[in-house]
Amino acid sequence: MRTKSLRLQLLAWVVLPLAGLATINLLTSHRSALATADLVTDRMLLGSARTIAEQVAMTDGVLDATVPPAALEMFDTGDRDSVYYHVKTAGGRLLTGYPDLPEAPRHPGTEAAYRDHWLRLLTFSHAVVGAGADSPITVTVGVTLAGHDAMVKRLWLSAFAQQLALVAIAGVFVLLGLRRGLAPLIRLRDAVRSPSRSDLDPVDVPGAQNEIRPLIDALNAYMERVRAQMAAQRRFIANAAHQLRTPLALLSTQASYALRESKPDARQEALVALQASSGRLARLAEQLLTLSRAEPGSRRPRADRVDLTEAARHVLETHAPTAIGRNIDLGLEEAGPVPVIGDGTMLREMIVNLVDNALRYSISGGSVTVRLTAVDGEAVLTVADDGPGIPADERDHVFERFYRIAGSTEEGSGLGLAIVREVVENTGGRVVLSDGAAGGLVVEVRLPLAGD
C-alpha cells in the first residue's frame, strides 16, 4: 500500500498552484520581452533612418546621399546582424543602397523576407531643402532578427530564472513552515505511543494550533468513551460474580439434594424448587446483561424512532399470562402513538422491568395500569399498581443496584429500577416515584417527544 505523506500533499497544494501561476507569468513575460525587443529594434531603425536622412543634401545642384558609419554601427551588438537600406527621392529614384529592398508601410513593426532572411523594416520620410520635386526623400532601413531574437531570449530567460527561484524559495519556506507547523502532530503521536502511558489519561500537547486542538479533543473524548466501556465491563464482571455466586451455590445444593432423595414426592419437590431457582438465575443473568447494555459507553448510541404505545402493547401481551395466573387486572390506557427517539431495545426493556415489578408486588386480585400520553412536548409513561408501595425515605435508594427494601418478601434482584433509571437518563428523560390515589406505587417516566 502506498504511503501518503501529509507534508508532501500540503507542499504540492502550495507549490503546484504557484508553479502554474509562474507558468502563466512566463507566457506573459515572453510577450512582454517580445514587445520590448520590438520597441528597441524599432527605435534603433528610426534612429538609423533619421541619421541617414539628415546627411542627404543638395551639393552643387545635385541631391547627394551619404550614409554615415554611425547609422549602421548602432546595430553592431555582437549578434552578426546584417543591415540593409536604401534612399529614394519622392519620384522613386534610388540615391543609394539596395534597390530591391522592400519598403515598409507607414507604421512600425513590419517584417518581410529579403535575401533568405527575415528583416524588420522601417521607412522614414524627410524633407530636403532645395531638393524641389525630389523632396521629400524616403529612407528605408532593415535589419536581420538575430539581435532581436537574442534580446527576447535574454529577457525571457531572466524572467524564467526569477520565477524558478521564486518557486524554489517558496518550496523551501513551505517545507520549513510545515516542519514547524506539523511538530505538534509529531508530539501528539509520540505522546500516544509513549511506553510510559499505562492507562487512557487525556493527552495534552502544549503549543498545538487551533486546527489541531479539535483532533486532540476528539482523541481524548474517544479515550474517555473507551474508559467508560472498560469501567462498565469491570462493573458487570464484578456484579455478575457477586450476584451469581449465591444462586449457583443454591442450584448446586438443590441438585445434590434431589440426587440423594429416594422418595418420588420429595425428589419431585426438589426438582420443582431447582427449576424455580434456575428460572430466577436466568432472570438475574438477563437483568445483569440488560444493565450492562444500559450503562453509558457500553454500546454505540442509537437513535431509533420508537412508538412507546406500540412497545407497551407488546410488553403487556407478553406479560398477560403472568397477570392472569396471579389474578391481576393488567390494562393499557392510551390515546394514540407516543413517539420518542432512543435505543428501541433498551426502551422496551425499561417497560418490561416496570411492568414486571408492578406485577411482582401487586396483590392477587389487584390491578396494574399502564398509561401513555403526550404532554407539553414530552412523552409521559406511568405504571400504577396497588401493591404496598415504597416509603418516601426509600425512594432515592431503590434506584441503586441490588438495593432491596428491608423486610421485602418478594423475590427480586434489585436491578429493575436501576435499569429503568439508566435507560431513562440515557434517553434524556427523568423518572419519578409517587403514591397512588388509592395506595400502591406510581412510576412516572418523562421522555422528550420525537418531532414530526
Side-chain angles (χ1 to χ4, degrees):
M1 181 178 178
R2 186 177 62 180
T3 301
K4 295 183 178 179
S5 171
L6 177 61
R7 183 181 286 105
L8 292 179
Q9 289 183 358
L10 292 176
L11 179 63
W13 275 106
V14 174
V15 173
L16 289 181
L18 185 59
L21 292 176
T23 301
I24 296 174
N25 194 24
L26 285 175
L27 296 175
T28 306
S29 298
H30 184 269
R31 289 195 294 268
S32 178
L34 184 60
T36 301
D38 289 344
L39 179 62
V40 171
T41 303
D42 291 340
R43 293 292 176 87
M44 291 172 65
L45 288 170
L46 179 60
S48 176
R50 190 187 299 275
T51 301
I52 294 173
E54 290 175 351
Q55 296 298 317
V56 177
M58 295 296 294
T59 305
D60 299 330
V62 178
L63 194 61
D64 180 49
T66 301
V67 178
L72 303 180
E73 289 174 354
M74 66 176 60
F75 295 101
D76 187 12
T77 58
D79 297 305
R80 299 180 180 274
D81 274 319
S82 298
V83 183
Y84 303 91
Y85 61 90
H86 69 217
V87 180
K88 291 183 178 181
T89 64
R93 181 169 58 89
L94 179 68
L95 298 178
T96 185
Y98 300 85
D100 56 346
L101 180 66
E103 291 189 10
R106 294 303 178 184
H107 59 82
T110 299
E111 294 183 2
Y114 180 70
R115 295 188 179 184
D116 299 329
H117 298 290
W118 277 95
L119 304 181
R120 191 166 184 88
L121 299 166
L122 183 139
T123 298
F124 177 71
S125 179
H126 179 70
V128 178
V129 178
D134 290 333
S135 181
I137 64 169
T138 57
V139 180
T140 299
V141 182
V143 65
T144 54
L145 300 178
H148 174 277
D149 294 343
M151 185 185 302
V152 172
K153 184 177 181 180
R154 286 193 296 271
L155 291 173
W156 186 80
L157 286 177
S158 175
F160 176 78
Q162 293 176 2
Q163 297 297 324
L164 184 62
L166 177 63
V167 173
I169 293 173
V172 171
F173 277 102
V174 168
L175 284 175
L176 293 176
L178 288 176
R179 182 176 181 180
R180 183 177 181 85
L182 295 178
L185 283 178
I186 304 300
R187 293 199 297 271
L188 175 61
R189 179 202 64 185
D190 295 339
V192 173
R193 297 172 58 182
S194 174
S196 62
R197 289 181 57 83
S198 57
D199 50 22
L200 295 173
D201 292 334
V203 176
D204 185 26
V205 180
Q209 298 92 334
N210 293 335
E211 292 78 8
I212 300 178
R213 182 60 59 184
L215 173 62
I216 299 174
D217 295 340
L219 180 61
N220 289 333
Y222 176 75
M223 290 192 293
E224 176 64 29
R225 291 196 299 270
V226 173
R227 284 200 303 272
Q229 291 176 349
M230 294 176 63
Q233 291 176 351
R234 287 193 294 268
R235 287 195 300 270
F236 172 73
I237 293 173
N239 292 336
H242 175 74
Q243 295 299 319
L244 294 178
R245 184 181 299 113
T246 300
L248 288 174
L250 178 61
L251 282 177
S252 177
T253 300
Q254 290 175 332
S256 299
Y257 177 79
L259 288 173
R260 292 195 306 268
E261 190 60 53
S262 58
K263 296 181 179 180
D265 292 341
R267 175 177 293 181
Q268 180 66 23
E269 183 180 355
L271 290 175
V272 170
L274 181 62
Q275 184 182 33
S277 297
S278 64
R280 289 192 295 271
L281 180 60
R283 175 59 179 165
L284 174 60
E286 180 182 351
Q287 286 192 310
L288 284 171
L289 289 173
T290 301
L291 180 62
S292 175
R293 292 194 299 267
E295 288 185 327
S298 62
R299 56 188 287 171
R300 180 178 299 177
R302 293 176 56 180
D304 305 325
R305 186 181 180 90
V306 181
D307 181 8
L308 289 183
T309 301
E310 186 66 21
R313 186 178 293 111
H314 286 301
V315 171
L316 265 60
E317 290 174 356
T318 303
H319 284 74
T322 302
I324 293 173
R326 298 192 59 182
N327 192 25
I328 295 175
D329 181 15
L330 179 61
L332 174 65
E333 296 180 3
E334 49 91 5
V338 181
V340 297
I341 301 297
D343 190 320
T345 301
M346 301 313 300
L347 288 171
R348 282 184 283 271
E349 285 292 333
M350 173 195 72
I351 301 174
V352 167
N353 280 275
L354 289 175
V355 173
D356 183 75
N357 276 356
L359 291 175
R360 188 183 304 274
Y361 289 97
S362 291
I363 59 175
S364 178
S367 65
V368 173
T369 303
V370 179
R371 297 184 182 88
L372 278 159
T373 57
V375 180
D376 296 332
E378 288 185 321
V380 182
L381 166 69
T382 59
V383 180
D385 62 60
D386 53 5
I390 297 177
D393 56 349
E394 297 275 2
R395 290 174 185 171
D396 290 336
H397 298 289
V398 293
F399 291 107
E400 299 173 4
R401 299 174 185 183
F402 309 111
Y403 183 82
R404 301 273 294 160
I405 298 176
S408 176
T409 58
E410 293 295 329
E411 296 179 352
S413 61
L415 292 176
L417 290 178
I419 292 172
V420 170
R421 185 180 65 176
E422 292 286 354
V423 174
V424 171
E425 290 181 352
N426 288 344
T427 315
R430 60 190 186 277
V431 56
V432 178
L433 304 181
S434 60
D435 295 325
L441 178 69
V442 176
V443 182
E444 181 182 83
V445 175
R446 289 179 174 265
L447 301 173
L449 196 65
D452 295 334

